[in-house]
Amino acid sequence: INPTDSFPNDELDVYAGYSLPSFAGVDTYLTFLAYFFPESGAEATYELTLGMSYDAGIVDLIGLVAYDFVVEGWNFQAGVSKGFAITDDLEIVLSAVIGGQNDYWSSNGFWNDVSVKAALPIALTDNATLEPYIGGLFALEAIDDFQDDIVHGGVSLSVSF
């Protein structure tokens, strides 16, 4: 929820994911993600994502490709991530990602945005993590007609089984 403007822009993301076997050092996962917009009443949307990460030493290389079933479009992301341990149960994770799209909420071009994020994942238990974060999104050609550059934040709770 962003109380600094009058646009109702809260978002609730609910997802289920499955880690696939690693291959040649590349970790992969499948995720089904549902986006809900409770305050604005906008239509929910649903994505299937194939994501991957690779420990390249100094940074992790990250990427994903996602298909949205409601807008019938593709989202692509590639970036880098680096975690710095503070304690056994706490780290700070910095990331930078560039995104592209094909009919994913826009048809103005391929390049969607550049985003940066600082997260503080806190291990609550062996299988539960609370993650407050702050990030910035910088709109590129595909979305700059309707998306301002923004600073955003939030909290996620992840539980694995």
Side-chain angles (χ1 to χ4, degrees):
I1 297 173
N2 183 355
T4 62
D5 64 25
S6 60
F7 182 74
N9 57 0
D10 61 340
E11 177 178 314
L12 174 64
D13 303 345
V14 179
Y15 67 94
Y18 180 73
S19 295
L20 300 168
S22 294
F23 178 75
V26 177
D27 296 325
T28 56
Y29 60 89
L30 278 175
T31 302
F32 181 79
L33 180 59
Y35 296 97
F36 300 100
F37 308 96
E39 190 176 356
S40 71
E43 179 182 5
T45 187
Y46 308 94
E47 291 181 356
L48 183 62
T49 300
L50 172 63
M52 59 209 76
S53 65
Y54 176 75
D55 182 350
I58 192 164
V59 297
D60 292 338
L61 304 176
I62 54 178
L64 66 78
V65 59
Y67 181 76
D68 188 299
F69 295 97
V70 174
V71 299
E72 298 179 348
W74 294 90
N75 178 21
F76 310 96
Q77 296 182 11
V80 295
S81 175
K82 179 67 176 174
F84 302 92
I86 297 171
T87 70
D88 289 342
D89 296 327
L90 182 67
E91 71 175 329
I92 186 165
V93 179
L94 305 176
S95 61
V97 174
I98 188 163
Q101 62 87 37
N102 182 23
D103 293 329
Y104 185 80
W105 300 102
S106 173
S107 59
N108 293 337
F110 178 78
W111 296 110
N112 210 49
D113 60 75
V114 171
S115 61
V116 294
K117 182 170 133 179
L120 194 67
I122 304 163
L124 302 175
T125 66
D126 287 343
N127 64 342
T129 303
L130 182 71
E131 183 177 289
Y133 65 88
I134 188 164
L137 180 137
F138 306 95
L140 299 177
E141 67 183 0
I143 63 172
D144 67 355
D145 287 346
F146 60 87
Q147 174 67 59
D148 293 331
D149 297 341
I150 60 170
V151 175
H152 58 93
V155 176
S156 69
L157 176 63
S158 299
V159 179
S160 61
F161 302 96

